[in-house]
Amino acid sequence: MNIQRSVTAERLYRDDERLEVRSAGVRHGAKRRVCEADLEWADAVYVMEHDHKLWISMRFEGIALPPIDVLDIPDRFELMADELQRTLRTLLDPRIAHLCNKTPTKGHRP
């Protein structure tokens, strides 16, 4: 629904000078739903659940998708919960560092 996990991730990384970030949901009724323009814009997409990756892959099968990485974070956290922040940092920090080190001159937008 783009109200807790993804928004927390966006808030954690929005001031990181290496990145441009956006969050979007996949479910009907999401505050902001992922669209084709988001996927064309992104160098990488991080989703919280396997179903999210499947939904994106099926809905946008006609376009070239960026790599989609499943974080496997359950939907049991409140917005900006300490445990959620720690989990996101643990999972995303190394992925982002790797992404930024792959092509350091390009502006990355995970």
Side-chain angles (χ1 to χ4, degrees), residues 75-91:
D75 189 13
R76 62 177 176 85
F77 297 102
E78 295 296 322
L79 178 66
M80 298 304 289
D82 290 341
E83 183 182 355
L84 175 57
Q85 290 185 52
R86 283 191 301 275
T87 301
L88 286 165
R89 291 276 189 199
T90 299
L91 294 170

Side-chain angles (χ1 to χ4, degrees), residues 12-74:
L12 287 175
Y13 291 98
R14 69 178 166 205
D15 294 326
D16 187 322
E17 294 180 4
R18 303 170 298 165
L19 310 171
E20 293 177 41
V21 297
R22 294 180 187 169
S23 67
V26 298
R27 303 217 193 301
H28 182 72
K31 289 173 78 175
R32 183 178 181 290
R33 197 167 185 196
V34 68
C35 66
E36 185 173 332
D38 294 325
L39 299 168
E40 290 172 344
W41 171 84
D43 291 325
V45 173
Y46 300 103
V47 297
M48 301 299 161
E49 301 175 22
H50 291 278
D51 288 349
H52 300 162
K53 180 176 181 174
L54 180 62
W55 183 90
I56 291 170
S57 298
M58 290 175 60
R59 178 160 173 121
F60 299 100
E61 65 184 345
I63 67 169
L65 295 172
I68 302 173
D69 197 1
V70 179
L71 301 176
D72 205 21
I73 298 176

